[in-house]
Amino acid sequence: MSQKQMKEDFVSNLNGTSVLEITKGLCYPPLCILVRGLLIIFSQHLCSSSHTWRTQFFIDFVFLIVPMVAILTVLHPFVGLDYLTVIIFGVGLLYQIYQRRTCYARVPVQKILEKFLKTSLESEYIPAISSFRVVNSVFTAIAILAVDFPLFPRRFAKTELYGTGAMDFGVGGFIFGSAMVCPEVKRRKYMEGSRFYCFKKSLYSVWPLVFLGIGRLVIIKSIGYQEHFTEYGVHWNFFFTIIVVKVVTSLLLIIFPLNKSWIMAISITVLYQLALDFTPLKRLILYGTDGSGTRVGLLNANREGIISTLGYVAIHMAGVQTGSYVLKNKTHSKDWIKVMCCLLLVAISLFISLYIVQVNVEAASRRMANLAFCIWIVASCLILLSVLLLGDIILSFAKFLIEGAVVPCSWKLTQSPATNRKHSESLVPEAERKEPSVCLITAMNRHQLIFFLLSNVTTGLINLMVDTLHSSTLWALFLLYFYMFTNCLITYVAHLQDVTIKFW
């Protein structure tokens, strides 16, 4: 058996893991991001000085990248211990910050909470959405390389037909995260007079993806790189899926109001599931037009990638609805607590719906992107987003206690004028008003395309140069950390140098 065939078999015929295990894994990075913010506040209070970009990069890498690589590889059997360690460290930091608070030092905790709930939270971007996109990007970057090493649990890899694998979430999470910040959502205030303008912008943003998709196809075929045909097909890849989703959803948002996106999401995924159940569509996806798995013809060769775009369109519309809700004007801390609770309730409702659908209709299938898969992706995304919001609220409370605290990629605090107009300015330190935030989260959120392309290229190079199937655990860990460090550092430096690659 050739090396290529061995690598293809290594990632084939897998059934995934439980929804609960993936959900537990998703809630871990927000805790690490929160602890990272609390540590920055505590260190600033002790040292009374801001961090250099090198120190900030080191802190971000240690608290965001290192734990995610570990929990996806060698520490996956000890998730409970990982959680306990991070929670104890975080609670300890929050307690120390509260004990050393410089604001409201002699005020009871109830009064402090009352004042905090009336505090306005401001930011150019919603920190939770930025963190969501970064967490998904980091997870995807780690997984696409780690999956080729034996230390990566097989149950985390992409499933063959039915099931939920951790890597299955990465694809849907990318679609959902992009939808929350799509042009239609960001320009919602002007949508009435500029729907066709947004459509033209979407079409303009598609052409680079066409070249990237074709370029990836040509390179993969020319060098004989390992492929998994049942993932998207013979010629199709994720770039082509993104193209179709962007064009179709842009057309839908011209016709339907932005705040009705949830109706479109439900309608598309339910109708698609009905088509899978009561028409030959499912048979076409699984076995081709001749019923024997033929790959002859463009449709047969790429049937999984082409037809599954219907499910991803539904996921995108759900992301648009979520983004338009979260990005609505909200001022006070209590407003964001309500948003977090609302997202959490919807996520719980969707998980209950997922159980019902999987028992009575069909199990989740990434290959078909069916109803259960769409529900699972949206529910998991809402859980991740709500936990990130909770972390941001706790971090804002910690900043509220320490005068002059500055944490990159977090809300700025301004007290309500009705409460205390004189004190409002002191809650936003001069450094935070003047200097742009410099951190790995901000850099990766802004340069997501650079990071994604770097990850794909370096993954390919490592696979071509290293026998991943027979690598030891120590060697595999070294390669994974070196790979992530290199990609993160290049992205970080690109942010410092104000280099931007963007097509919309």
Side-chain angles (χ1 to χ4, degrees), residues 21-41:
E21 184 174 22
I22 297 172
T23 305
K24 287 192 295 185
L26 285 175
C27 294
Y28 185 69
L31 286 177
C32 296
I33 292 173
L34 171 60
V35 170
R36 160 247 188 204
L38 293 174
L39 180 65
I40 291 172
I41 293 173

mmCIF file with all atom_site columns, all heavy atoms in Angstrom, residues 21-41:
data_model
loop_
_atom_site.group_PDB
_atom_site.id
_atom_site.type_symbol
_atom_site.label_atom_id
_atom_site.label_alt_id
_atom_site.label_comp_id
_atom_site.label_asym_id
_atom_site.label_entity_id
_atom_site.label_seq_id
_atom_site.pdbx_PDB_ins_code
_atom_site.Cartn_x
_atom_site.Cartn_y
_atom_site.Cartn_z
_atom_site.occupancy
_atom_site.B_iso_or_equiv
_atom_site.pdbx_formal_charge
_atom_site.auth_seq_id
_atom_site.auth_comp_id
_atom_site.auth_asym_id
_atom_site.auth_atom_id
_atom_site.pdbx_PDB_model_num
ATOM 1   N N   . GLU A 1 21 ? -19.170 15.554 24.338 1.00 0.00 ? 21 GLU A N   1
ATOM 2   C CA  . GLU A 1 21 ? -17.719 15.704 24.393 1.00 0.00 ? 21 GLU A CA  1
ATOM 3   C C   . GLU A 1 21 ? -17.259 16.905 23.568 1.00 0.00 ? 21 GLU A C   1
ATOM 4   O O   . GLU A 1 21 ? -16.368 17.659 23.985 1.00 0.00 ? 21 GLU A O   1
ATOM 5   C CB  . GLU A 1 21 ? -17.024 14.439 23.894 1.00 0.00 ? 21 GLU A CB  1
ATOM 6   C CG  . GLU A 1 21 ? -15.516 14.518 24.031 1.00 0.00 ? 21 GLU A CG  1
ATOM 7   C CD  . GLU A 1 21 ? -14.805 13.230 23.671 1.00 0.00 ? 21 GLU A CD  1
ATOM 8   O OE1 . GLU A 1 21 ? -15.383 12.415 22.929 1.00 0.00 ? 21 GLU A OE1 1
ATOM 9   O OE2 . GLU A 1 21 ? -13.661 13.041 24.120 1.00 0.00 ? 21 GLU A OE2 1
ATOM 10  N N   . ILE A 1 22 ? -17.868 17.095 22.399 1.00 0.00 ? 22 ILE A N   1
ATOM 11  C CA  . ILE A 1 22 ? -17.502 18.246 21.567 1.00 0.00 ? 22 ILE A CA  1
ATOM 12  C C   . ILE A 1 22 ? -17.900 19.547 22.248 1.00 0.00 ? 22 ILE A C   1
ATOM 13  O O   . ILE A 1 22 ? -17.150 20.538 22.235 1.00 0.00 ? 22 ILE A O   1
ATOM 14  C CB  . ILE A 1 22 ? -18.161 18.128 20.183 1.00 0.00 ? 22 ILE A CB  1
ATOM 15  C CG1 . ILE A 1 22 ? -17.636 16.893 19.445 1.00 0.00 ? 22 ILE A CG1 1
ATOM 16  C CG2 . ILE A 1 22 ? -17.885 19.387 19.344 1.00 0.00 ? 22 ILE A CG2 1
ATOM 17  C CD1 . ILE A 1 22 ? -18.359 16.578 18.161 1.00 0.00 ? 22 ILE A CD1 1
ATOM 18  N N   . THR A 1 23 ? -19.079 19.565 22.865 1.00 0.00 ? 23 THR A N   1
ATOM 19  C CA  . THR A 1 23 ? -19.542 20.769 23.564 1.00 0.00 ? 23 THR A CA  1
ATOM 20  C C   . THR A 1 23 ? -18.613 21.116 24.722 1.00 0.00 ? 23 THR A C   1
ATOM 21  O O   . THR A 1 23 ? -18.290 22.290 24.938 1.00 0.00 ? 23 THR A O   1
ATOM 22  C CB  . THR A 1 23 ? -20.979 20.571 24.081 1.00 0.00 ? 23 THR A CB  1
ATOM 23  O OG1 . THR A 1 23 ? -21.835 20.188 22.992 1.00 0.00 ? 23 THR A OG1 1
ATOM 24  C CG2 . THR A 1 23 ? -21.513 21.856 24.699 1.00 0.00 ? 23 THR A CG2 1
ATOM 25  N N   . LYS A 1 24 ? -18.179 20.112 25.464 1.00 0.00 ? 24 LYS A N   1
ATOM 26  C CA  . LYS A 1 24 ? -17.224 20.360 26.557 1.00 0.00 ? 24 LYS A CA  1
ATOM 27  C C   . LYS A 1 24 ? -15.926 20.937 26.013 1.00 0.00 ? 24 LYS A C   1
ATOM 28  O O   . LYS A 1 24 ? -15.336 21.848 26.616 1.00 0.00 ? 24 LYS A O   1
ATOM 29  C CB  . LYS A 1 24 ? -16.945 19.056 27.311 1.00 0.00 ? 24 LYS A CB  1
ATOM 30  C CG  . LYS A 1 24 ? -18.075 18.584 28.202 1.00 0.00 ? 24 LYS A CG  1
ATOM 31  C CD  . LYS A 1 24 ? -17.633 17.458 29.131 1.00 0.00 ? 24 LYS A CD  1
ATOM 32  C CE  . LYS A 1 24 ? -17.259 16.210 28.371 1.00 0.00 ? 24 LYS A CE  1
ATOM 33  N NZ  . LYS A 1 24 ? -16.953 15.075 29.279 1.00 0.00 ? 24 LYS A NZ  1
ATOM 34  N N   . GLY A 1 25 ? -15.481 20.432 24.873 1.00 0.00 ? 25 GLY A N   1
ATOM 35  C CA  . GLY A 1 25 ? -14.265 20.960 24.263 1.00 0.00 ? 25 GLY A CA  1
ATOM 36  C C   . GLY A 1 25 ? -14.417 22.396 23.802 1.00 0.00 ? 25 GLY A C   1
ATOM 37  O O   . GLY A 1 25 ? -13.482 23.202 23.910 1.00 0.00 ? 25 GLY A O   1
ATOM 38  N N   . LEU A 1 26 ? -15.607 22.747 23.325 1.00 0.00 ? 26 LEU A N   1
ATOM 39  C CA  . LEU A 1 26 ? -15.845 24.110 22.831 1.00 0.00 ? 26 LEU A CA  1
ATOM 40  C C   . LEU A 1 26 ? -15.845 25.135 23.962 1.00 0.00 ? 26 LEU A C   1
ATOM 41  O O   . LEU A 1 26 ? -15.488 26.302 23.749 1.00 0.00 ? 26 LEU A O   1
ATOM 42  C CB  . LEU A 1 26 ? -17.193 24.177 22.098 1.00 0.00 ? 26 LEU A CB  1
ATOM 43  C CG  . LEU A 1 26 ? -17.259 23.558 20.702 1.00 0.00 ? 26 LEU A CG  1
ATOM 44  C CD1 . LEU A 1 26 ? -18.684 23.610 20.175 1.00 0.00 ? 26 LEU A CD1 1
ATOM 45  C CD2 . LEU A 1 26 ? -16.323 24.266 19.739 1.00 0.00 ? 26 LEU A CD2 1
ATOM 46  N N   . CYS A 1 27 ? -16.260 24.724 25.150 1.00 0.00 ? 27 CYS A N   1
ATOM 47  C CA  . CYS A 1 27 ? -16.339 25.663 26.272 1.00 0.00 ? 27 CYS A CA  1
ATOM 48  C C   . CYS A 1 27 ? -14.989 25.907 26.939 1.00 0.00 ? 27 CYS A C   1
ATOM 49  O O   . CYS A 1 27 ? -14.865 26.792 27.791 1.00 0.00 ? 27 CYS A O   1
ATOM 50  C CB  . CYS A 1 27 ? -17.340 25.148 27.311 1.00 0.00 ? 27 CYS A CB  1
ATOM 51  S SG  . CYS A 1 27 ? -19.043 25.096 26.719 1.00 0.00 ? 27 CYS A SG  1
ATOM 52  N N   . TYR A 1 28 ? -13.976 25.139 26.562 1.00 0.00 ? 28 TYR A N   1
ATOM 53  C CA  . TYR A 1 28 ? -12.660 25.276 27.190 1.00 0.00 ? 28 TYR A CA  1
ATOM 54  C C   . TYR A 1 28 ? -11.899 26.528 26.727 1.00 0.00 ? 28 TYR A C   1
ATOM 55  O O   . TYR A 1 28 ? -11.372 27.273 27.577 1.00 0.00 ? 28 TYR A O   1
ATOM 56  C CB  . TYR A 1 28 ? -11.840 24.011 26.932 1.00 0.00 ? 28 TYR A CB  1
ATOM 57  C CG  . TYR A 1 28 ? -10.517 23.978 27.629 1.00 0.00 ? 28 TYR A CG  1
ATOM 58  C CD1 . TYR A 1 28 ? -10.433 23.868 29.011 1.00 0.00 ? 28 TYR A CD1 1
ATOM 59  C CD2 . TYR A 1 28 ? -9.323  24.047 26.906 1.00 0.00 ? 28 TYR A CD2 1
ATOM 60  C CE1 . TYR A 1 28 ? -9.210  23.833 29.663 1.00 0.00 ? 28 TYR A CE1 1
ATOM 61  C CE2 . TYR A 1 28 ? -8.096  24.010 27.551 1.00 0.00 ? 28 TYR A CE2 1
ATOM 62  C CZ  . TYR A 1 28 ? -8.051  23.899 28.922 1.00 0.00 ? 28 TYR A CZ  1
ATOM 63  O OH  . TYR A 1 28 ? -6.832  23.872 29.561 1.00 0.00 ? 28 TYR A OH  1
ATOM 64  N N   . PRO A 1 29 ? -11.812 26.817 25.410 1.00 0.00 ? 29 PRO A N   1
ATOM 65  C CA  . PRO A 1 29 ? -11.079 28.023 24.986 1.00 0.00 ? 29 PRO A CA  1
ATOM 66  C C   . PRO A 1 29 ? -11.611 29.325 25.575 1.00 0.00 ? 29 PRO A C   1
ATOM 67  O O   . PRO A 1 29 ? -10.798 30.196 25.939 1.00 0.00 ? 29 PRO A O   1
ATOM 68  C CB  . PRO A 1 29 ? -11.226 27.997 23.454 1.00 0.00 ? 29 PRO A CB  1
ATOM 69  C CG  . PRO A 1 29 ? -11.435 26.562 23.119 1.00 0.00 ? 29 PRO A CG  1
ATOM 70  C CD  . PRO A 1 29 ? -12.235 26.011 24.247 1.00 0.00 ? 29 PRO A CD  1
ATOM 71  N N   . PRO A 1 30 ? -12.955 29.532 25.703 1.00 0.00 ? 30 PRO A N   1
ATOM 72  C CA  . PRO A 1 30 ? -13.411 30.768 26.345 1.00 0.00 ? 30 PRO A CA  1
ATOM 73  C C   . PRO A 1 30 ? -12.895 30.938 27.771 1.00 0.00 ? 30 PRO A C   1
ATOM 74  O O   . PRO A 1 30 ? -12.599 32.068 28.188 1.00 0.00 ? 30 PRO A O   1
ATOM 75  C CB  . PRO A 1 30 ? -14.943 30.621 26.332 1.00 0.00 ? 30 PRO A CB  1
ATOM 76  C CG  . PRO A 1 30 ? -15.227 29.740 25.172 1.00 0.00 ? 30 PRO A CG  1
ATOM 77  C CD  . PRO A 1 30 ? -14.085 28.771 25.134 1.00 0.00 ? 30 PRO A CD  1
ATOM 78  N N   . LEU A 1 31 ? -12.771 29.840 28.509 1.00 0.00 ? 31 LEU A N   1
ATOM 79  C CA  . LEU A 1 31 ? -12.219 29.925 29.858 1.00 0.00 ? 31 LEU A CA  1
ATOM 80  C C   . LEU A 1 31 ? -10.758 30.374 29.809 1.00 0.00 ? 31 LEU A C   1
ATOM 81  O O   . LEU A 1 31 ? -10.326 31.191 30.632 1.00 0.00 ? 31 LEU A O   1
ATOM 82  C CB  . LEU A 1 31 ? -12.322 28.572 30.559 1.00 0.00 ? 31 LEU A CB  1
ATOM 83  C CG  . LEU A 1 31 ? -13.711 28.139 31.039 1.00 0.00 ? 31 LEU A CG  1
ATOM 84  C CD1 . LEU A 1 31 ? -13.645 26.737 31.634 1.00 0.00 ? 31 LEU A CD1 1
ATOM 85  C CD2 . LEU A 1 31 ? -14.269 29.116 32.066 1.00 0.00 ? 31 LEU A CD2 1
ATOM 86  N N   . CYS A 1 32 ? -10.007 29.850 28.853 1.00 0.00 ? 32 CYS A N   1
ATOM 87  C CA  . CYS A 1 32 ? -8.600  30.237 28.712 1.00 0.00 ? 32 CYS A CA  1
ATOM 88  C C   . CYS A 1 32 ? -8.478  31.714 28.339 1.00 0.00 ? 32 CYS A C   1
ATOM 89  O O   . CYS A 1 32 ? -7.582  32.420 28.844 1.00 0.00 ? 32 CYS A O   1
ATOM 90  C CB  . CYS A 1 32 ? -7.929  29.366 27.646 1.00 0.00 ? 32 CYS A CB  1
ATOM 91  S SG  . CYS A 1 32 ? -7.837  27.611 28.065 1.00 0.00 ? 32 CYS A SG  1
ATOM 92  N N   . ILE A 1 33 ? -9.371  32.191 27.458 1.00 0.00 ? 33 ILE A N   1
ATOM 93  C CA  . ILE A 1 33 ? -9.353  33.605 27.062 1.00 0.00 ? 33 ILE A CA  1
ATOM 94  C C   . ILE A 1 33 ? -9.679  34.495 28.256 1.00 0.00 ? 33 ILE A C   1
ATOM 95  O O   . ILE A 1 33 ? -9.069  35.556 28.459 1.00 0.00 ? 33 ILE A O   1
ATOM 96  C CB  . ILE A 1 33 ? -10.345 33.848 25.912 1.00 0.00 ? 33 ILE A CB  1
ATOM 97  C CG1 . ILE A 1 33 ? -9.849  33.150 24.639 1.00 0.00 ? 33 ILE A CG1 1
ATOM 98  C CG2 . ILE A 1 33 ? -10.525 35.344 25.650 1.00 0.00 ? 33 ILE A CG2 1
ATOM 99  C CD1 . ILE A 1 33 ? -10.846 33.179 23.496 1.00 0.00 ? 33 ILE A CD1 1
ATOM 100 N N   . LEU A 1 34 ? -10.642 34.059 29.085 1.00 0.00 ? 34 LEU A N   1
ATOM 101 C CA  . LEU A 1 34 ? -10.990 34.822 30.289 1.00 0.00 ? 34 LEU A CA  1
ATOM 102 C C   . LEU A 1 34 ? -9.817  34.891 31.254 1.00 0.00 ? 34 LEU A C   1
ATOM 103 O O   . LEU A 1 34 ? -9.484  35.972 31.773 1.00 0.00 ? 34 LEU A O   1
ATOM 104 C CB  . LEU A 1 34 ? -12.210 34.178 30.959 1.00 0.00 ? 34 LEU A CB  1
ATOM 105 C CG  . LEU A 1 34 ? -12.582 34.720 32.347 1.00 0.00 ? 34 LEU A CG  1
ATOM 106 C CD1 . LEU A 1 34 ? -12.908 36.212 32.282 1.00 0.00 ? 34 LEU A CD1 1
ATOM 107 C CD2 . LEU A 1 34 ? -13.754 33.942 32.937 1.00 0.00 ? 34 LEU A CD2 1
ATOM 108 N N   . VAL A 1 35 ? -9.177  33.755 31.509 1.00 0.00 ? 35 VAL A N   1
ATOM 109 C CA  . VAL A 1 35 ? -8.030  33.722 32.433 1.00 0.00 ? 35 VAL A CA  1
ATOM 110 C C   . VAL A 1 35 ? -6.901  34.587 31.905 1.00 0.00 ? 35 VAL A C   1
ATOM 111 O O   . VAL A 1 35 ? -6.238  35.303 32.682 1.00 0.00 ? 35 VAL A O   1
ATOM 112 C CB  . VAL A 1 35 ? -7.557  32.266 32.646 1.00 0.00 ? 35 VAL A CB  1
ATOM 113 C CG1 . VAL A 1 35 ? -6.237  32.228 33.402 1.00 0.00 ? 35 VAL A CG1 1
ATOM 114 C CG2 . VAL A 1 35 ? -8.613  31.478 33.411 1.00 0.00 ? 35 VAL A CG2 1
ATOM 115 N N   . ARG A 1 36 ? -6.712  34.555 30.590 1.00 0.00 ? 36 ARG A N   1
ATOM 116 C CA  . ARG A 1 36 ? -5.675  35.406 29.977 1.00 0.00 ? 36 ARG A CA  1
ATOM 117 C C   . ARG A 1 36 ? -5.961  36.882 30.265 1.00 0.00 ? 36 ARG A C   1
ATOM 118 O O   . ARG A 1 36 ? -5.067  37.653 30.633 1.00 0.00 ? 36 ARG A O   1
ATOM 119 C CB  . ARG A 1 36 ? -5.633  35.122 28.484 1.00 0.00 ? 36 ARG A CB  1
ATOM 120 C CG  . ARG A 1 36 ? -4.988  36.184 27.614 1.00 0.00 ? 36 ARG A CG  1
ATOM 121 C CD  . ARG A 1 36 ? -6.045  36.804 26.729 1.00 0.00 ? 36 ARG A CD  1
ATOM 122 N NE  . ARG A 1 36 ? -5.525  37.704 25.715 1.00 0.00 ? 36 ARG A NE  1
ATOM 123 C CZ  . ARG A 1 36 ? -6.272  38.669 25.179 1.00 0.00 ? 36 ARG A CZ  1
ATOM 124 N NH1 . ARG A 1 36 ? -7.524  38.847 25.537 1.00 0.00 ? 36 ARG A NH1 1
ATOM 125 N NH2 . ARG A 1 36 ? -5.749  39.458 24.262 1.00 0.00 ? 36 ARG A NH2 1
ATOM 126 N N   . GLY A 1 37 ? -7.229  37.307 30.144 1.00 0.00 ? 37 GLY A N   1
ATOM 127 C CA  . GLY A 1 37 ? -7.596  38.695 30.426 1.00 0.00 ? 37 GLY A CA  1
ATOM 128 C C   . GLY A 1 37 ? -7.426  39.055 31.892 1.00 0.00 ? 37 GLY A C   1
ATOM 129 O O   . GLY A 1 37 ? -6.932  40.148 32.221 1.00 0.00 ? 37 GLY A O   1
ATOM 130 N N   . LEU A 1 38 ? -7.829  38.146 32.784 1.00 0.00 ? 38 LEU A N   1
ATOM 131 C CA  . LEU A 1 38 ? -7.675  38.401 34.220 1.00 0.00 ? 38 LEU A CA  1
ATOM 132 C C   . LEU A 1 38 ? -6.201  38.518 34.603 1.00 0.00 ? 38 LEU A C   1
ATOM 133 O O   . LEU A 1 38 ? -5.831  39.357 35.437 1.00 0.00 ? 38 LEU A O   1
ATOM 134 C CB  . LEU A 1 38 ? -8.332  37.274 35.015 1.00 0.00 ? 38 LEU A CB  1
ATOM 135 C CG  . LEU A 1 38 ? -9.862  37.163 34.907 1.00 0.00 ? 38 LEU A CG  1
ATOM 136 C CD1 . LEU A 1 38 ? -10.357 35.920 35.622 1.00 0.00 ? 38 LEU A CD1 1
ATOM 137 C CD2 . LEU A 1 38 ? -10.540 38.405 35.471 1.00 0.00 ? 38 LEU A CD2 1
ATOM 138 N N   . LEU A 1 39 ? -5.359  37.687 33.984 1.00 0.00 ? 39 LEU A N   1
ATOM 139 C CA  . LEU A 1 39 ? -3.919  37.749 34.270 1.00 0.00 ? 39 LEU A CA  1
ATOM 140 C C   . LEU A 1 39 ? -3.334  39.083 33.806 1.00 0.00 ? 39 LEU A C   1
ATOM 141 O O   . LEU A 1 39 ? -2.489  39.671 34.502 1.00 0.00 ? 39 LEU A O   1
ATOM 142 C CB  . LEU A 1 39 ? -3.198  36.591 33.579 1.00 0.00 ? 39 LEU A CB  1
ATOM 143 C CG  . LEU A 1 39 ? -1.687  36.522 33.787 1.00 0.00 ? 39 LEU A CG  1
ATOM 144 C CD1 . LEU A 1 39 ? -1.360  36.267 35.260 1.00 0.00 ? 39 LEU A CD1 1
ATOM 145 C CD2 . LEU A 1 39 ? -1.067  35.431 32.908 1.00 0.00 ? 39 LEU A CD2 1
ATOM 146 N N   . ILE A 1 40 ? -3.780  39.573 32.648 1.00 0.00 ? 40 ILE A N   1
ATOM 147 C CA  . ILE A 1 40 ? -3.296  40.869 32.148 1.00 0.00 ? 40 ILE A CA  1
ATOM 148 C C   . ILE A 1 40 ? -3.682  41.989 33.119 1.00 0.00 ? 40 ILE A C   1
ATOM 149 O O   . ILE A 1 40 ? -2.871  42.855 33.453 1.00 0.00 ? 40 ILE A O   1
ATOM 150 C CB  . ILE A 1 40 ? -3.858  41.138 30.737 1.00 0.00 ? 40 ILE A CB  1
ATOM 151 C CG1 . ILE A 1 40 ? -3.226  40.181 29.718 1.00 0.00 ? 40 ILE A CG1 1
ATOM 152 C CG2 . ILE A 1 40 ? -3.604  42.589 30.323 1.00 0.00 ? 40 ILE A CG2 1
ATOM 153 C CD1 . ILE A 1 40 ? -3.851  40.255 28.341 1.00 0.00 ? 40 ILE A CD1 1
ATOM 154 N N   . ILE A 1 41 ? -4.925  41.969 33.587 1.00 0.00 ? 41 ILE A N   1
ATOM 155 C CA  . ILE A 1 41 ? -5.387  42.993 34.543 1.00 0.00 ? 41 ILE A CA  1
ATOM 156 C C   . ILE A 1 41 ? -4.583  42.924 35.832 1.00 0.00 ? 41 ILE A C   1
ATOM 157 O O   . ILE A 1 41 ? -4.114  43.948 36.355 1.00 0.00 ? 41 ILE A O   1
ATOM 158 C CB  . ILE A 1 41 ? -6.889  42.806 34.835 1.00 0.00 ? 41 ILE A CB  1
ATOM 159 C CG1 . ILE A 1 41 ? -7.720  43.096 33.589 1.00 0.00 ? 41 ILE A CG1 1
ATOM 160 C CG2 . ILE A 1 41 ? -7.334  43.723 35.982 1.00 0.00 ? 41 ILE A CG2 1
ATOM 161 C CD1 . ILE A 1 41 ? -9.195  42.774 33.745 1.00 0.00 ? 41 ILE A CD1 1
#
